[in-house]
Amino acid sequence: MSDPLLDVRDLVVRYGQVTAVDGVSFSLAAGETLALNGPSGCGKSSTALAVLQLRRPDSGEVRFEGRELTTLPEPELRPLRPRMQPVFQDPYGSLSPRHRIRDAIAEPLKVQGRWDPEKGPARVAELLDRVGLDPAYGDRRPHELSGGQCQRAGIARALASDPRLLVLDEPVSSLDPSVRAGVLNLLADLQDDLGLGYLFICHDRAVVRHVADRVIEMREGRVTSG
Amino acid sequence: MASEALLSVRDLRIAFDGVEAVRGLSFDVRPREALAIVGESGAGKSLTARALLGMLPRGATTSGTISPDLSAHRGRRISLVPQDALSALSPVHPVGDQLAAAVRSVAGVSRKEARARAVAALDRVGIPDAARRARAYPHEYSGGMRQRAVIAMATINEPDIVVADEPTTALDEERRDQVLRLLAEQRAAVDAALVLVTHDMDVVQGHADRVLVMYAGRLTELGPADEVLARPRAPYTAGLLASLPQHAPPGRRLPALRGTPPVPGALPPGCAFAPRCPLAAEACHTAEPEPRQAAGRLVACHRWEELPHPATELFLKERQPV
Ligand code: SF4
């Protein structure tokens, strides 16, 4: 078997006295969806932040594309960060309210020094189209979009960095029911076409059963099954 | 027998700055029934519930009738279980005092009697050591206990109608079912009808006798909950149900509705659902359908007879619905 895209061993995250994640291990292959399921406060979001190294874990290993991240100093981590992108629950919260959608999508490329003034705008239009938004939406600001449209824009922004792994934290939980299925279908299409690995955090069992290749149940910081 | 309605809403319209968010809604609430009002953002479901309670936001103008008007009897004949339990309780008074004050606001009972009823109500909703907990403040309660206290508060005066506005939205599945069960049990104990406002079709199953599906400020479908769930007659209801992952056919793609719910004030011409509807025909883009009797319920759709069952295929066709 080839190396997993992501391999997490004995992950521990503490906040003061509280152990939010208590020895969690799992691995995830490219093109695969692994769901983390459990009630609120079970440690699934803390696990996500630790995988992304947005919160450095207190102990344990996070191996991504074969490299151990927890011991990497920030400068060495920086070039790897674009390859693992978060998509959060609140679609409005993850896009700056002042920026046009097109600038929000271009921003990671500019920050990474990969922005090409010639081809960039076409790339942004292509990304919008890829997530099912008319490129004309690029001119709008987040509050001019519906929740579902905004979440699609957030996904386009994540894709701009050519990631291998998306860490999706309740990506459809705050959407209107009639737009949820469309966003889940989009995620399925992107995975089929791009071979992305998904760490899919979700409290809704029906959604989890539908999207996940494998499910890990968490409770009080520990894996209870999976 | 006179009317079997406990409360009748006729041609209710609610507008803000001339923009109608509820656009001519009629329905009844029957004695002791559980009526779910289901809709998404912009459907007008919460505004409708608030209108029953006389709790519309400032700036709302209304027309139509709600009879009887129970808003003057809020807390007695009609009561609210809000989404956010914390907002329903005052932080500066012990929970028992708040329940006792609610009792005294309507019944000529002594302070002592009111207190005793408050403790009994907390005990009924399963708050352990209720006599002691009655003296505690809301912030000393866990989230689950606060929710219970709010349900106790909403039923303590044995109202005719309990309105629950998204009471479980912030909860995970286990807690959701617990709260809905408790709500059902408590309102049944006092013979109250329940108006359950939700965006979640899943909540309707097993928790409502009838369901009113709203879209863009109007009635889309109204009928017995089990029949509507088993065989929806309006394309919107059918699409919503088909897109739930628990009903999905095997395979990666879910049946899905394209587009997003419209915003009040920016409605398409004709049927508000037409831009998203796989059954839409020319007439749908010009005339808005009125609710009509169809298959033992009310359905507002020009083409309800054309809707296949199951309708799953209709919503599977497009690859990239937006
Ligand atoms: S009236 Fe027409 S557009 Fe509206 S729901 Fe019925 S078929 Fe669809």
Side-chain angles (χ1 to χ4, degrees):
Chain A
M1 210 180 94
S2 60
D3 279 349
L5 180 64
L6 177 70
D7 193 34
V8 173
R9 289 295 134 213
D10 304 318
L11 194 70
V12 174
V13 179
R14 292 196 192 91
Y15 297 98
Q17 304 288 356
V18 181
T19 305
V21 181
D22 192 2
V24 166
S25 302
F26 57 84
S27 67
L28 168 67
E32 186 188 31
T33 298
L34 176 71
L36 288 185
N37 180 229
S40 46
C42 73
K44 46 192 198 305
S45 291
S46 297
T47 302
L49 292 178
V51 164
L52 290 161
Q53 302 293 304
L54 293 174
R55 164 72 164 82
R56 293 289 197 141
D58 292 272
S59 66
E61 290 183 4
V62 175
R63 206 170 272 280
F64 174 65
E65 296 189 302
R67 297 195 57 186
E68 220 293 85
L69 304 185
T70 60
T71 51
L72 279 189
E74 187 58 37
E76 286 175 52
L77 199 51
R78 202 166 298 135
L80 299 177
R81 285 197 182 278
R83 303 178 65 74
M84 37 201 283
Q85 286 289 313
V87 174
F88 295 111
Q89 170 171 3
D90 175 12
Y92 295 99
S94 51
L95 298 170
S96 159
R98 286 171 297 117
H99 290 151
R100 290 179 199 285
I101 297 300
R102 123 159 71 69
D103 298 327
I105 294 171
E107 187 197 281
L109 293 173
K110 290 180 177 162
V111 170
Q112 295 157 24
R114 294 166 56 205
W115 179 251
D116 176 340
E118 299 268 297
K119 295 187 193 137
R123 170 81 177 129
V124 170
E126 181 194 314
L127 284 164
L128 282 167
D129 184 60
R130 192 72 200 74
V131 298
L133 288 175
D134 188 311
Y137 281 107
D139 291 334
R140 304 205 190 172
R141 291 176 216 277
H143 68 268
E144 297 171 289
L145 302 190
S146 71
Q149 291 165 337
C150 218
Q151 191 61 299
R152 285 170 188 266
I155 293 168
R157 178 181 151 105
L159 292 180
S161 309
D162 295 318
R164 300 308 306 145
L165 172 70
L166 292 189
V167 177
L168 302 138
D169 193 352
E170 303 279 1
V172 295
S173 302
S174 64
L175 302 183
D176 270 318
S178 74
V179 305
R180 253 178 230 162
V183 171
L184 291 174
N185 286 344
L186 168 66
L187 290 170
D189 290 344
L190 292 173
Q191 187 169 54
D192 289 350
D193 296 351
L194 305 172
L196 301 173
Y198 289 164
L199 184 60
F200 196 105
I201 291 152
C202 184
H203 72 279
D204 184 328
R205 292 225 177 82
V207 170
V208 162
R209 269 194 298 267
H210 180 77
V211 304
D213 298 303
R214 286 185 299 130
V215 183
I216 286 180
E217 301 273 352
M218 281 185 73
R219 213 164 261 267
E220 290 170 9
R222 291 173 172 274
V223 173
T224 54
S225 77
Chain B
M1 197 172 86
S3 151
E4 60 169 327
L6 184 62
L7 180 130
S8 291
V9 175
R10 290 295 173 267
D11 199 29
L12 177 68
R13 291 170 188 275
I14 304 171
F16 294 88
D17 294 326
V19 174
E20 275 189 351
V22 174
R23 304 181 299 123
L25 183 68
S26 300
F27 66 95
D28 292 341
V29 181
R30 298 175 182 166
R32 290 182 295 280
E33 77 167 340
L35 172 70
I37 304 183
V38 182
E40 304 182 85
S41 53
K45 58 188 187 305
S46 284
L47 286 173
T48 301
R50 300 270 154 172
L52 304 184
L53 291 151
M55 289 173 73
L56 285 170
R58 290 173 82 95
T61 53
T62 61
S63 70
T65 59
I66 298 174
S67 61
D69 178 7
L70 297 180
S71 62
H73 308 281
R74 195 160 73 225
R76 186 162 76 94
R77 294 190 58 198
I78 189 164
S79 63
L80 172 68
V81 175
Q83 179 178 149
D84 170 14
L86 206 48
S87 74
L89 297 167
S90 157
V92 298
H93 298 288
V95 174
D97 287 9
Q98 298 184 47
L99 282 151
V103 172
R104 280 171 61 82
S105 72
V106 295
V109 297
S110 69
R111 228 170 259 283
K112 204 171 151 215
E113 167 70 17
R115 247 211 97 70
R117 284 199 209 170
V119 171
L122 290 174
D123 186 56
R124 263 200 310 277
V125 295
I127 292 193
D129 199 359
R132 189 174 60 82
R133 287 273 165 63
R135 289 192 292 275
Y137 291 83
H139 71 87
E140 299 173 272
Y141 278 44
S142 69
M145 281 189 0
R146 278 198 292 260
Q147 199 104 29
R148 287 168 179 273
V150 168
I151 292 173
M153 178 94 111
T155 48
I156 196 163
N157 287 321
E158 308 194 352
D160 300 332
I161 301 180
V162 175
V163 177
D165 189 4
E166 302 269 17
T168 58
T169 300
L171 307 180
D172 52 52
E173 275 158 271
E174 285 161 52
R175 292 263 312 280
R176 186 188 80 183
D177 289 336
Q178 282 168 11
V179 168
L180 289 171
R181 270 201 301 276
L182 181 68
L183 189 56
E185 174 192 303
Q186 293 296 313
R187 66 102 192 166
V190 298
D191 277 342
L194 174 67
V195 175
L196 177 63
V197 176
T198 178
H199 67 275
D200 187 353
M201 268 291 181
D202 231 16
V203 162
V204 177
Q205 184 104 53
H207 297 290
D209 303 307
R210 291 195 306 147
V211 57
L212 164 57
V213 183
M214 289 185 72
Y215 191 77
R218 308 253 291 182
L219 180 156
T220 292
E221 185 160 6
L222 167 63
D226 47 357
E227 291 174 29
V228 172
L229 293 179
R231 179 152 188 198
R233 297 290 189 167
Y236 172 63
T237 320
L240 210 51
L241 285 167
S243 73
L244 293 178
Q246 51 270 50
H247 300 175
R252 295 262 283 162
R253 301 193 59 76
L254 288 165
L257 291 159
R258 65 191 130 157
T260 59
V263 181
L267 300 182
C271 175
F273 186 57
R276 311 180 68 190
C277 182
L279 269 191
E282 231 173 278
C284 301
H285 297 285
T286 51
E288 189 152 36
E290 292 297 327
R292 281 180 214 295
Q293 283 294 336
R297 66 188 80 166
L298 284 172
V299 179
C301 173
H302 296 306
R303 290 167 54 78
W304 68 273
E305 282 162 301
E306 316 298 322
L307 184 71
H309 180 72
T312 317
E313 283 294 313
L314 271 187
F315 297 95
L316 265 175
K317 284 188 183 134
E318 298 129 298
R319 175 169 151 105
Q320 195 89 132
V322 173

